[in-house]
Amino acid sequence: MTHDSAHGTGTQDAGAEGAAPRRLTTREAAERLGVKPETVYAYVSRGQLASTRTPGGRGSTFDATEVDALARRTGRREPSPSAAGDLVFRTGITLIEPDRYFFRGVDATELARHHGYEEVAEWIWTGELRPGIRFTAARESLAAARRTAASMPRHSSATDRLRAAVAAAASADPLRFDLSPEGVLNSARSLIPTLVGALPAAGDGADGEAGAEGSLAARLWPKLSARPADAAALAVLDRALALLADHDLAASTLAVRVAASTHANPYAVVSAGLGVLEGPLHGAASGPAHRMLAEVVDRGGAAPVVADHLRAGRRVPGLGHRLYKGEDPRAGELFSLLDEIPRAAPVVAAARDVVATTARHTALHANVDLALAAFSVAYGMPAETGETVFAVSRTAGWIAHAMEEYTERPLRLRPSGQYTGPRPPRPLPAAKAVTPEGAGPAN
């Protein structure tokens, strides 16, 4: 059952030819325009839209033709679902084309070449560049996140710790329910460095505050490697963070939009994203690519390793992307940096050998998971490094999508299930006797 908004009554349909034009309620007009009901009245006050009070003065109605004309002028009409029946979202963050992608209209790879991760995140959030910006964790939230992450079993993955850190940081932030744009941005600028700060140092490294005022890449490095970072290594890491900040409606971002549609706070929407990101077909996809490249280097060639994958019925990791016809532009950008680093040469050669070997039968190109794997293998990092980088980086995109979703009609993402179970009504099921554990069957 559909309920009208507080400002409207039912829709008035035109009858026979010559009858009054079809009238829309405030809520229906807002949905056609893709705005909030309050914005509809702002259009009225500016003279862009005419309204008529309903009998009894309990709301207003609008001419459907006039609303449609305004939607065309403003370009804000809700897109129709695609022919395939996919749900379409209106977003101004990322545009993906067959061979490249853009952040708010700017080529994302070009943006990442000239600006660090924090600057790219600000651009995604606000459409403004803030050169030299550094994100700072709130002391209480960071302390809570560190305590929680440190209490987890030693075998816990980085993503396990990040999920726990988000929950702990949220509990320490009494302002997390402020969903105003500035409130969300304040939470985001604190949350991202909190995630990095909550991770343990790699190896036996000291886990202190060293580098807390540096770039996010510089603060993340000691969580990934016990080796000191050089300028070239930090450049690759920072570039990877900037390139991965968003990628339109990937699975984790869709989960974030659903959470945000309920007006869940920013920490909760990031938790939703992390839960989906951990899937082996999403953020964790670089782990298998890491292990494959390490084996290719050890065995001196890709052919036997690729053959083993195919023999076992496994796809060769790190290859192909459904949105790009050729090489993933993020992979190309990272490989261009790795090409300049002598220590990465054997791993980069191994990655290209994998691509060339599989190309004998199918034209699959390198994706960003292969590039992240090449980076992590070259620097002796753990196999889960790519997943960690992905999670930290993509938090920026999740926040951006949450901010967009907060401006949409709440709870709009409610599809209907197609029931395939037995037809009702059915009788109540008979109770099943419970046999005590370890006992034989009752006779």
Side-chain angles (χ1 to χ4, degrees):
M1 177 179 178
T2 301
H3 297 279
D4 293 317
S5 71
H7 299 287
T9 58
T11 300
Q12 301 175 14
D13 294 312
E17 184 178 356
R22 183 169 182 263
R23 308 293 297 179
L24 302 176
T25 66
T26 303
R27 178 174 177 177
E28 290 170 331
E31 289 176 351
R32 287 201 181 196
L33 291 165
V35 298
K36 295 181 178 180
E38 293 83 355
T39 306
V40 174
Y41 286 107
Y43 287 141
V44 173
S45 66
R46 292 196 293 264
Q48 295 175 277
L49 192 63
S51 65
T52 300
R53 300 294 291 179
T54 57
R58 296 188 58 188
S60 299
T61 62
F62 303 85
D63 186 313
T65 303
E66 187 178 4
V67 170
D68 288 341
L70 178 60
R72 288 192 293 271
R73 292 199 304 274
T74 60
R76 297 203 62 172
R77 174 183 286 276
E78 186 80 29
S80 300
S82 70
D86 297 329
L87 184 63
V88 178
F89 289 77
R90 183 175 56 249
T91 177
I93 302 169
T94 301
L95 171 66
I96 298 177
E97 293 189 343
D99 59 351
R100 56 182 179 164
Y101 69 118
F102 303 84
F103 289 155
R104 296 198 180 278
V106 177
D107 187 290
T109 56
E110 187 71 14
L111 186 67
R113 288 184 201 128
H114 294 89
H115 298 280
Y117 170 69
E118 288 110 316
E119 294 169 350
V120 170
E122 285 287 330
W123 173 254
I124 290 173
W125 292 337
T126 68
E128 297 178 0
L129 278 174
R130 299 180 62 188
I133 186 172
R134 293 288 181 259
F135 298 158
T136 304
R139 181 172 300 179
E140 297 82 0
S141 293
L142 178 57
R146 280 182 165 165
R147 284 194 304 269
T148 302
S151 69
M152 300 180 70
R154 290 179 60 86
H155 65 265
S156 299
S157 70
T159 306
D160 290 334
R161 297 181 192 277
L162 291 175
R163 287 202 306 268
V166 170
S171 68
D173 182 5
L175 302 180
R176 64 188 181 276
F177 300 109
D178 179 1
L179 301 188
S180 68
E182 194 55 39
V184 174
L185 289 175
N186 287 337
S187 295
R189 293 175 186 131
S190 173
L191 174 58
I192 293 176
T194 297
L195 294 178
V196 173
L199 293 172
D204 298 322
D207 194 15
E209 292 288 343
E213 300 303 320
S215 70
L216 197 82
R219 284 176 272 174
L220 180 58
W221 178 271
K223 314 293 184 171
L224 305 176
S225 175
R227 294 189 176 100
D230 54 49
L234 281 182
V236 177
L237 180 56
D238 193 42
R239 190 76 55 87
L241 289 168
L243 292 168
L244 290 166
D246 190 58
H247 207 234
D248 196 32
L249 285 165
S252 58
T253 305
L254 178 58
V256 161
R257 301 273 319 211
V258 172
S261 76
T262 72
H263 285 189
N265 67 70
Y267 297 87
V269 299
V270 170
S271 292
L274 286 170
V276 177
L277 186 77
E278 195 176 19
L281 302 181
H282 191 15
S286 63
H290 173 108
R291 289 183 281 272
M292 176 191 68
L293 284 185
E295 185 179 359
V296 171
V297 172
D298 288 343
R299 297 178 68 173
V305 179
V306 170
D308 286 348
H309 274 76
L310 297 178
R311 183 181 299 125
R314 299 190 302 266
R315 60 180 291 275
V316 180
L319 300 179
H321 197 291
R322 62 180 295 187
L323 298 180
Y324 298 115
K325 293 181 178 179
E327 185 178 61
D328 184 335
R330 301 167 298 178
E333 188 67 18
L334 293 178
F335 276 124
S336 69
L337 287 179
L338 292 170
D339 279 336
E340 304 299 320
I341 302 174
R343 71 173 299 139
V347 186
V348 172
R352 292 193 168 127
D353 193 10
V354 168
V355 175
T357 299
T358 58
R360 299 175 190 175
H361 297 286
T362 181
L364 291 177
H365 302 274
N367 62 35
V368 73
D369 297 314
L370 192 67
L372 288 172
F375 171 62
S376 58
V377 172
Y379 282 93
M381 295 172 173
E384 67 173 4
T385 294
E387 182 178 352
T388 305
V389 173
F390 206 123
V392 171
S393 170
R394 188 56 57 86
T395 300
W398 292 336
I399 293 294
H401 280 273
M403 292 176 70
E404 282 194 336
E405 192 60 39
Y406 288 148
T407 68
E408 298 286 354
R409 176 170 53 85
L411 297 173
R412 69 190 180 109
L413 306 179
R414 178 59 172 89
S416 298
Q418 184 175 3
Y419 179 72
T420 60
R423 295 296 302 173
R426 301 182 70 199
L428 288 173
K432 183 178 180 180
V434 178
T435 303
E437 187 176 354
N443 294 320

